[in-house]
Amino acid sequence: MHDFQYREENLYCEDFSIEAIAKEVGTPFYLYSLNTLESHFQAFDSAFSKVNHLVCFSAKANSNIAILRVFVRRGGGVDVVSGGELFRAMKAGARPERIVYSGVGKRPEEIEYALEFPILMFCVESAQELLAIDGIAGRMGAKAPVALRVNPDVNPQTHPYITTGLKKNKFGINIRKSIDDYILASTLPNIKVIGVSCHIGSQLTDVGPFVEAVQRIKELALKLRAEGIHIQYIDLGGGLGITYHQEEPPHPREYAQSLLNELGEIECTLILEPGRVIVGNAGILVTKVLYAKEGGEKNFIIVDAAMNDLIRPSLYGSYQRIQPVQKKERPEIVADVVGPICESADFLAKDRKLPRMEAGELLAVMSAGAYGFSMSSNYNSRPRAAEVLVDKGRFYIIREREDYDDLIKGEFIPDILA
Ligand SMILES: *Cc1c(COP(=O)(O)O)cnc(C)c1O
């Protein structure tokens, strides 16, 4: 469910006409519905209401500080994967004791930064990282709370670029070897072992792989307790999928019930790190048609948004639904929707059946709220798009469109070139 619906012929976000927003902010821009964001968070959070839990929104899915704020305000935590995301979480008003920090390559200064607050826990991805954190915590006179991120070796049946829980993936510590690392961790003077964590992949549309992962994580947690290592937190990561096209992912309620059934009466606080399922369908990318090129081998609709704005189709071959902002009677064509970037991989859709669009008309690229703006770049020296949040009949710019000066911020021509 989301709040992007037609009224008569015009696409609205909540109570605001998208065409009217485009007139004021220009194109392309990302548009988010506050109501959708809040109701998705609420639906996910309440699905776990029977147990002690903390929903840490995965900042990399959408890291705008206003978006993070929406969840923080509702009691959510944040899952960060870099010092920069931790900075954003703090700017959004997150409570450090609700922040978890994952990622295979945490740098020493990032570890130090996180220990200053301190955060709820580090999800540690290797024995060497454990030693690094221990050393830094020791120098700071701190004790670092950690979970080991284990790799349960389950196949999430998703795109190979977004599987993370297979033995061959770079993430986490092999679950069978993790006991040794846990024992090592428990001997380190500046480390406090408090949890087990995992994250098996993204855009999963079946509960099976999650259930399999939970079985293995639970088994590990019980083994660790038997070894005298007190596990207080079980972090099951994110990964629940959404409908982009025809996928039928489980509702968060169903997902939660499957996890909870499997966990049974294990005493601990459950941590979840959803990203896509909360924001994916709460945002769209609005773009303007520049030109239509028809009559050759293929038809092309050339728009003002490109792979630098939304890279998912180019990177993963992902399907994004595309629809006209103004629906009216017109003939259909089959076309590629492409951007202005000088790469053949610059497309938003291939061989898509669409109404014939004229220059100046608007298209809405649906389901763009997750891994949209947060993966955007300045490639081809394109200023990044604006981001807009709608609350009922009002809209707020939550990130200004970049200008040319932003493009060269921090660049210098040295004197030798004068
Ligand atoms: C990316 C990521 C998530 C969120 O994944 P979604 O598929 O967007 O829910 C959660 N945890 C970790 C560690 C991640 O890397």
Side-chain angles (χ1 to χ4, degrees), residues 29-95:
F29 65 97
Y30 276 93
L31 182 61
Y32 309 105
S33 154
L34 179 60
N35 186 56
T36 309
L37 291 166
E38 289 187 325
S39 57
H40 283 182
F41 183 84
Q42 182 61 27
F44 194 96
D45 191 44
S46 65
F48 290 92
S49 59
K50 275 188 276 184
V51 298
N52 285 332
H53 72 282
L54 177 62
V55 176
C56 293
F57 173 69
S58 179
K60 75 177 193 286
N62 189 319
S63 47
N64 185 294
I65 57 173
I67 303 288
L68 299 181
R69 177 75 182 172
V70 171
F71 311 127
V72 161
R73 207 169 60 129
R74 302 204 140 224
V78 187
D79 162 44
V80 302
V81 294
S82 69
E85 283 189 357
L86 176 53
F87 174 78
R88 285 178 171 279
M90 297 308 295
K91 285 286 175 197
R95 289 170 48 180

Side-chain angles (χ1 to χ4, degrees), residues 58 60-61 79 81 102-103 125 149 164 171 198-199 201-203 237-240 273-277 370-371:
S58 179
K60 75 177 193 286
D79 162 44
V81 294
S102 318
E125 306 216 14
R149 172 165 173 190
T164 54
F171 299 98
C198 75
H199 169 71
S202 201
Q203 183 54 16
L240 186 56
E273 303 172 347
R276 191 189 309 271
V277 68
Y371 306 102

Side-chain angles (χ1 to χ4, degrees), residues 346-357:
D346 180 25
F347 63 90
L348 298 174
K350 286 235 152 144
D351 300 318
R352 191 68 63 82
K353 199 187 281 179
L354 281 166
R356 171 177 274 127
M357 302 292 293

Side-chain angles (χ1 to χ4, degrees), residues 139-159:
R139 281 200 296 284
M140 295 172 68
K143 211 159 167 89
V146 306
L148 296 195
R149 172 165 173 190
V150 300
N151 185 331
D153 195 26
V154 300
N155 188 346
Q157 314 286 353
T158 184
H159 190 284

Side-chain angles (χ1 to χ4, degrees), residues 128-389:
Q128 287 196 357
E129 184 192 332
L130 206 46
L131 296 172
I133 294 176
D134 181 58
I136 294 165
R139 281 200 296 284
M140 295 172 68
K143 211 159 167 89
V146 306
L148 296 195
R149 172 165 173 190
V150 300
N151 185 331
D153 195 26
V154 300
N155 188 346
Q157 314 286 353
T158 184
H159 190 284
Y161 286 8
I162 48 178
T163 68
T164 54
L166 284 170
K167 270 193 288 201
K168 65 175 183 189
N169 293 132
K170 70 175 176 180
F171 299 98
I173 297 170
N174 181 316
I175 192 160
R176 259 170 274 124
K177 295 200 194 119
S178 68
I179 295 265
D180 294 343
D181 290 340
Y182 267 107
I183 290 169
L184 166 70
S186 67
T187 65
L188 296 174
N190 312 304
I191 294 281
K192 187 170 152 212
V193 180
I194 61 170
V196 181
S197 100
C198 75
H199 169 71
I200 60 173
S202 201
Q203 183 54 16
L204 274 70
T205 52
D206 188 63
V207 294
F210 288 117
V211 167
E212 220 179 301
V214 173
Q215 286 166 349
R216 296 183 191 178
I217 296 293
K218 179 182 176 183
E219 195 185 330
L220 175 63
L222 295 176
K223 244 190 241 172
L224 292 170
R225 282 187 181 170
E227 294 276 344
I229 296 171
H230 191 57
I231 298 300
Q232 307 161 51
Y233 294 93
I234 290 186
D235 180 343
L236 295 174
L240 186 56
I242 62 169
T243 303
Y244 284 100
H245 190 199
Q246 287 164 334
E247 304 90 335
E248 291 179 351
H251 187 277
R253 213 179 313 112
E254 210 181 310
Y255 160 82
Q257 203 49 56
S258 309
L259 301 188
L260 296 179
N261 286 347
E262 207 55 53
L263 275 173
E265 297 284 309
I266 187 162
E267 231 173 84
C268 67
T269 298
L270 197 57
I271 296 177
L272 290 312
E273 303 172 347
R276 191 189 309 271
V277 68
I278 309 283
V279 291
N281 278 318
I284 66 173
L285 173 63
V286 180
T287 182
K288 187 156 65 183
V289 176
L290 295 173
Y291 306 104
K293 200 150 84 161
E294 289 180 29
E297 181 94 345
K298 276 190 122 172
N299 297 319
F300 295 98
I301 298 174
I302 301 158
V303 297
D304 66 359
M307 65 188 284
N308 74 298
D309 300 300
L310 180 63
I311 204 175
R312 299 187 64 259
S314 310
L315 186 60
Y316 310 125
S318 317
Y319 181 98
Q320 305 272 165
R321 192 182 297 275
I322 297 183
Q323 55 196 61
V325 168
Q326 207 184 24
K327 203 161 60 167
K328 54 184 182 201
E329 277 300 317
R330 37 185 153 197
E332 279 198 328
I333 60 166
V334 174
D336 285 9
V337 180
V338 302
I341 283 185
C342 304
E343 297 279 347
S344 295
D346 180 25
F347 63 90
L348 298 174
K350 286 235 152 144
D351 300 318
R352 191 68 63 82
K353 199 187 281 179
L354 281 166
R356 171 177 274 127
M357 302 292 293
E358 280 166 38
E361 290 189 293
L362 300 175
L363 285 171
V365 182
M366 308 305 288
S367 312
Y371 306 102
F373 189 91
S374 65
M375 291 181 98
S376 68
S377 77
N378 289 121
Y379 187 42
N380 274 209
S381 287
R382 289 168 48 84
R384 277 185 292 178
E387 291 182 283
V388 178
L389 178 69

Side-chain angles (χ1 to χ4, degrees), residues 106-113 132 136 139:
K106 303 178 190 77
R107 291 152 50 203
E109 41 303 11
E110 293 178 310
I111 293 168
E112 197 176 315
Y113 182 44
I136 294 165
R139 281 200 296 284

